[in-house]
Amino acid sequence: MAAERRAKADTLTLRRRLLSSSCRLFFPEDPVKIVRGHGQYLYDERGAEYIDCINNVAHVGHCHPLVVQAAHEQNQVLNTNSRFLHDNIVDYAQRLSETLPEQLSVFYFLNSGSEANDLALRLARRYTGHQDVVVLDHAYHGHLSSLIDISPYKFRNLDGQKEWVHVAPLPDTYRGPYREDHPNPAEAYASEVKRVVSNAQKKGRKIAAFFAESLPSVGGQIIPPAGYFSKVAEHIRGAGGLFVADEIQVGFGRVGKHFWAFQLHGEDFVPDIVTMGKSIGNGHPIACLATTQAVSNAFENTGVEYFNTFGGNPVSCAVGLAVLDTVEKEQLQAHATHVGDILMELLRQQKAKHPIIGDIRGTGLFIGVDLIKNEAMRTPATEEAEYLVSKLKENYILLSTDGPGRNVLKFKPPMCFSLDNAQHVVARLDDILTGKRGASPVTQPRLGI
């Protein structure tokens, strides 16, 4: 606790001396020093309370008492690796299986979403005997070397695209080639995947997998058109590959209507592999991969065991069970639908009022606000978005941006984010956009646009 009493400036000095500058902070010009969290709120060293609109990791709320209690109680009894027989890991796998299509019946437990996606890549290559991967433009799937290679968001700024990686257009109906006025954007964007696969095959390449975030987040809080995944799966499986649904950002009821975001594409669509992380442990380092028996069998037949020292340990699984219990007991899935729908409507009212807001998109508590400089060109309003996030922070609201233009305000708050929170955040957003409460207005003339 003594470190909490250290002056913010001293903490920042120590961080800059001891940590790499590539380990970036939120609000780098004026970082917030957070010392405590509760529910959807974070508190700085002065005791100031912030509404957290960023943290999808703290899925059921910061320091949720049931999750904390579960970890504490199991820690007092046993924490060891999963080579010992223990009830928690099988109980947790059973609970997860009840949320998924019955075909996804085999589970691997890990420590992070990056580990889960790396394992998905290994499984797909083993099952198919192929090497290549199709991904969506602007995608991010993790920080391991194998995943940087399949994350255009990262590799475009590093070593470039590997010959075994093939990039399909992001199914963005606001900025992409097939927009909201297209008669069948799902079919059109899926046809782009088919084209990418065909071009790869002409070069003698063979497809192991298609990786996609079920709702692309880094790409700008994108909602793919309904049915897109089903059509893509046909093309990928026709080429001998597997469909990997990355639910690390959006699983566990965040989309409201469904427990998993891939279910937005219909009951008949079932991925071959689903990866989970972040919200799965409410901040505890746990992750999971679910797949079919056939895919798992192919991996098992290598004769090499899969072992993860901490993945699936008793404490992690106790935490995972507590998160599932909380989502169910507090009806957070229905809550996400209710609050998310109202938040979307409040934001649409702002869109009608402020020309800088080009698009409102989302489902449940996964929402993006696309800011533009020009309605006809839909030019990303990058500087304005940065300014708006900074002013919201001054109003004790933590929000961030994403998208290729860094112009999309992204809402992914803890699932306990309330209706009052939604109304308050939108009211402050309106104040800043109109120049109330002492803020400079975010208008086109302000930045000479």
Side-chain angles (χ1 to χ4, degrees), residues 6-214:
R6 181 183 292 126
K8 174 181 169 180
D10 293 339
T11 303
L12 186 58
T13 298
L14 280 171
R15 182 181 175 105
R16 287 171 173 166
R17 178 163 64 86
L18 297 170
L19 275 67
S20 168
S21 61
S22 64
C23 302
R24 297 178 181 177
L25 290 162
F26 286 123
F27 316 106
E29 299 301 318
D30 182 23
V32 182
K33 182 178 180 181
I34 296 299
V35 300
R36 185 167 66 90
H38 177 74
Q40 65 272 45
Y41 301 103
L42 291 170
Y43 301 86
D44 68 14
E45 79 282 4
R46 303 164 300 153
E49 179 183 85
Y50 294 79
I51 299 176
D52 182 5
C53 300
I54 295 173
N55 256 297
N56 59 329
V57 177
H59 190 60
V60 299
H62 293 281
C63 302
H64 193 288
L66 292 182
V67 178
V68 172
Q69 181 182 7
H72 176 63
E73 290 181 354
Q74 184 57 52
N75 253 321
Q76 291 181 305
V77 178
L78 174 71
N79 196 25
T80 187
N81 67 59
S82 55
R83 283 184 173 179
F84 292 105
L85 189 64
H86 197 275
D87 284 334
N88 283 9
I89 192 169
V90 294
D91 288 346
Y92 189 37
Q94 177 63 36
R95 286 285 299 280
L96 284 174
S97 73
E98 293 167 1
T99 71
L100 289 160
E102 62 181 359
Q103 299 97 311
L104 298 169
S105 58
V106 182
F107 297 85
Y108 297 81
F109 291 100
L110 317 95
N111 306 298
S112 71
S114 289
E115 285 190 8
N117 278 337
D118 178 74
L119 179 58
L121 184 59
R122 292 175 60 191
L123 288 169
R125 285 175 167 168
R126 176 62 189 177
Y127 178 79
T128 64
H130 302 165
Q131 175 77 7
D132 290 26
V133 175
V134 179
V135 294
L136 296 176
D137 206 359
H138 309 297
Y140 176 64
H141 293 290
H143 62 80
L144 300 181
S145 295
S146 61
L147 305 176
I148 296 296
D149 286 343
I150 65 169
S151 298
Y153 168 69
K154 290 291 186 181
F155 71 60
R156 294 200 192 284
N157 298 318
L158 295 170
D159 300 327
Q161 186 173 339
K162 299 292 193 295
E163 62 178 355
W164 52 269
V165 177
H166 312 281
V167 180
L170 187 69
D172 180 354
T173 57
Y174 183 68
R175 295 186 174 279
Y178 310 109
R179 299 188 174 184
E180 65 272 11
D181 57 352
H182 192 279
N184 192 343
E187 181 71 47
Y189 278 113
S191 293
E192 291 291 330
V193 175
K194 183 180 181 180
R195 177 186 58 80
V196 168
V197 169
S198 178
N199 288 342
Q201 291 174 324
K202 289 175 183 176
K203 299 175 183 178
R205 312 298 306 188
K206 295 182 178 180
I207 305 301
F210 172 81
F211 273 71
E213 299 164 88
S214 296

